[in-house]
């Protein structure tokens, strides 16, 4: 597994942030409540959520982050009222229309992860264009999880491997964690070091279930549209206090046990 490889070496990160989480994943939650508190329709909460996303994508590289995965639309969000689903479907366009040129220029590689099934032809085109125009970039990686579900991601990977076995291209024993990783929607990224969820809710909601195996979690009491670089910096500061052992023990404790 790439987990240990994902640990930053001293001085690897940019700027003054020491031992930053290289991959941060965010459940962008609280748009609806933000709007409700202001007596606004939920749609305006989602639009304010796009503005928060812009701020965070700009701030993340300076905080030492190299991969950012954001949860934009889950496989369960289809069950929302049709008008809200329509608004959510319009968000990638709203984001890329204003920001794609800058992302391209600033070395950001965009990937839209999740199923394209059920998305309009226009939306698929917008997502593919964002990916194609930034395909040569490597300074920072932005994964937009859209029509994404952790269970569906795992099922798809399992199905691909089962098909390879059925076709005689693989044997059941060939399946390793690394091979399974390579079949997931996030194959191009290391696993997340830190998963952040604002809005006060404390759950994963079917986000990156396999990938979260050794992630640290930070839950913050702020609604996503109000999320700022300072909130992200605070989440990182909290991450830096965590002792990541990956199921092992620290050497001193090992000696004590012996
Ligand atoms: C959850 O909040 C948020 C969403 C379902 C949408 C997230 C999308 C954005 C933040 C905009 C950026 C998106 C892209 C793809 C560019 P909620 O509506 O469940 O809020 P609530 O829990 O307060 O009701």
């Amino acid at each position: 597994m790439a987990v240990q490889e994902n640990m930053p070496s001293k001085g690897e990160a940019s700027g003054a942030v020491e031992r930053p989480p290289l991959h941060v994943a965010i459940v962008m939650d609280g748009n609806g409540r933000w709007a409700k508190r202001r007596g606004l329709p939920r749609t305006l909460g989602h639009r304010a959520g796009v503005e928060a996303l812009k701020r965070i994508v700009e701030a993340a590289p300076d905080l030492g982050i190299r991969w950012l995965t954001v949860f934009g639309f889950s496989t369960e969000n289809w069950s929302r009222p049709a008008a809200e689903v329509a608004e959510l479907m319009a968000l990638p366009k709203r984001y890329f229309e204003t920001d794609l040129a800058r992302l391209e220029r600033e070395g950001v590689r965009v990937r839209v992860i999740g199923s394209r099934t059920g998305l309009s032809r226009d939306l698929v085109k917008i997502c593919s264009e964002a990916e194609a125009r930034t395909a040569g970039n490597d300074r920072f990686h932005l994964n937009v999880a859209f029509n994404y579900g952790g269970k569906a991601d795992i099922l798809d990977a399992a199905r691909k491997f089962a098909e390879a076995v059925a076709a005689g291209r693989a044997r059941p024993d060939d399946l390793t964690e690394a091979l399974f990783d390579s079949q997931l929607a996030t194959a191009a990224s290391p696993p997340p070091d830190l998963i952040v969820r604002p809005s006060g809710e404390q759950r994963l909601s079917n986000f990156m279930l396999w990938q979260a195996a050794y992630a640290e979690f930070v839950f913050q009491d702020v609604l996503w549209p109000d999320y700022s670089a300072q909130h992200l910096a605070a989440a990182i500061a909290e991450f830096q206090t965590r002792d990541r052992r990956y199921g092992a023990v620290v050497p001193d404790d090992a000696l004590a046990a012996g």
Side-chain angles (χ1 to χ4, degrees):
M1 275 291 278
V3 173
Q4 293 293 347
E5 289 160 26
N6 191 32
M7 293 292 284
S9 60
K10 243 190 163 60
E12 185 184 339
S14 69
V17 185
E18 203 179 310
R19 215 177 61 83
L22 291 187
H23 184 173
V24 175
I26 306 183
V27 180
M28 304 183 289
D29 193 18
N31 297 345
R33 277 163 285 171
W34 183 91
K36 193 171 176 199
R37 281 180 198 175
R38 286 163 177 74
L40 299 170
R42 292 175 62 83
T43 51
L44 292 190
H46 295 313
R47 289 182 199 182
V50 174
E51 298 310 309
L53 175 63
K54 292 179 186 177
R55 287 196 292 278
I56 295 315
V57 171
E58 273 212 55
D62 290 340
L63 293 167
I65 297 168
R66 284 208 62 203
W67 282 270
L68 179 70
T69 302
V70 292
F71 206 2
F73 187 87
S74 81
T75 44
E76 288 71 38
N77 287 152
W78 290 107
S79 59
R80 294 192 176 198
E84 182 168 350
V85 169
E87 175 65 25
L88 290 167
M89 289 291 139
L91 298 180
K93 182 169 186 218
R94 189 172 277 278
Y95 177 51
F96 291 133
E97 230 164 35
T98 56
D99 276 41
L100 183 57
R102 189 178 55 77
L103 295 173
E104 188 180 2
R105 208 172 45 241
E106 293 182 357
V108 178
R109 176 153 189 186
V110 175
R111 292 183 181 86
V112 182
I113 62 169
S115 173
R116 302 278 159 108
T117 306
L119 306 188
S120 72
R121 202 179 304 177
D122 261 10
L123 180 51
V124 170
K125 195 166 157 238
I126 286 162
C127 296
S128 302
E129 191 196 338
E131 291 181 331
R133 278 176 55 182
T134 61
N137 287 345
D138 188 36
R139 188 179 77 91
F140 183 81
H141 295 257
L142 173 65
N143 299 326
V144 180
F146 202 85
N147 200 15
Y148 175 86
K151 286 186 175 180
D153 198 6
I154 292 169
L155 276 183
D156 285 346
R159 197 174 293 116
K160 276 185 255 174
F161 185 71
E163 282 166 5
V165 171
R169 285 182 277 111
R171 288 172 300 120
D173 282 354
D174 294 338
L175 190 55
T176 59
E177 289 187 7
L179 181 61
F180 201 75
D181 273 338
S182 73
Q183 302 302 307
L184 293 167
T186 49
S189 314
D193 301 290
L194 169 64
I195 296 182
V196 175
R197 183 166 189 158
S199 95
E201 308 292 353
Q202 302 194 359
R203 56 178 171 264
L204 258 184
S205 299
N206 200 15
F207 188 41
M208 302 183 92
L209 298 181
W210 167 279
Q211 298 88 336
Y214 281 102
E216 296 294 327
F217 292 84
V218 171
F219 300 104
Q220 293 174 295
D221 228 343
V222 51
L223 300 174
W224 175 253
D226 290 328
Y227 206 83
S228 66
Q230 285 70 33
H231 292 108
L232 185 57
I236 291 173
E238 170 62 31
F239 169 85
Q240 286 163 327
T241 68
R242 304 282 174 87
D243 179 18
R244 301 185 80 195
R245 294 188 301 276
Y246 302 98
V249 289
V250 291
D252 280 358
D253 291 347
L255 284 176

